[in-house]
Amino acid sequence: MDDSSTTKTSTQTAAPTVAPTAADSRTAEQRQKFNDRCTALRQAVDDKHAMHDRVAKLKQLQSAAQGEADQAKAAWSSALRESNGEITRAIHKLRAAERSALALVEEYEVMAQELATDSERLELRVAECHADASGVRHGLVALAKDSTYAKFLNEGADCLAAAYQLYLDDANCGVPYRSQIDPDQLASNFMRKVLADIKSRGGSHAAKAIIASAIGVGAVPHAGVDPALAASPVRRMQLRKKLGLQS
């Protein structure tokens, strides 16, 4: 077969290209937005953990400085008694060492207060990033709901309509006209049955696979997030006000 025949065959068998719809483009845009929000959330959580490590290290240093001060105080107090109250050079050095250690303790306390404010800012940042990502995911759920229902109408609504008509025919088959069940009552009975069947299949692997495919993203990361703060716009607003941040 020559090249022209091969090209012709390939052209004939190629699948038609389906242009993305506006809904497809919107979904793709929201998925990218969600991924960006989750990346920002993970970075905020990493910064929060790094801040906790800094605070823990600072507490260790403060505790060590306090221990040095206590040790120096005990040493010069003992030496003072041994010298019968005379201030020796060794005692001067020990008292200076105590003062130096206590100065460090005080400075570490000031630093701890500064870091406490920074920690609250990071906690707020994490909560806001989580709230933003959750909002975007909710938008994806809404888009998936509409697209999945449209798919059902295209692929399954006719089968459901046929099942409903068969249900009506079966219920009143051979029943005199005056004794036939009211169509509205039959419709209510049928939809009650459909709803029960839908609920029973809601947790199936097939249903979960359809949901995952329609949404196209996973859950919002929760590790390192204060759930109460993330879920409460009021609490976040109060914390922003406390920190002197603009609303």
Side-chain angles (χ1 to χ4, degrees), residues 21 30 36 41 49 52 57 61 68 78 85 98 105 113 142 152 154 185 197 208 229:
T21 64
Q30 288 296 99
D36 292 342
L41 172 58
H49 289 162
H52 285 180
K57 179 65 175 178
L61 293 173
E68 291 176 3
S78 176
E98 180 193 13
V105 171
Q113 293 174 2
F152 158 72
N154 289 333
Q185 182 61 48
D197 290 339
K208 289 180 179 179
L229 186 61

Side-chain angles (χ1 to χ4, degrees), residues 53-84:
D53 291 342
R54 288 182 61 190
V55 171
K57 179 65 175 178
L58 189 60
K59 288 182 178 179
Q60 290 178 356
L61 293 173
Q62 186 180 27
S63 178
Q66 185 64 58
E68 291 176 3
D70 293 343
Q71 186 176 7
K73 171 84 184 308
W76 72 253
S77 180
S78 176
L80 186 64
R81 283 162 176 74
E82 291 178 359
S83 66
N84 198 28

Side-chain angles (χ1 to χ4, degrees), residues 30-31 33-42 125-143 215 217-223 225-233 236:
Q30 288 296 99
R31 286 173 179 171
K33 190 175 180 180
F34 175 80
N35 291 332
D36 292 342
R37 294 295 189 275
C38 286
T39 298
L41 172 58
R42 293 187 185 95
R125 177 182 156 202
V126 168
E128 290 182 336
C129 285
H130 188 277
D132 287 345
S134 297
V136 175
R137 192 179 189 280
H138 183 267
L140 279 168
V141 170
L143 289 171
I215 298 176
V217 298
V220 180
H222 295 290
V225 179
D226 180 343
L229 186 61
S232 174
R236 295 199 302 274

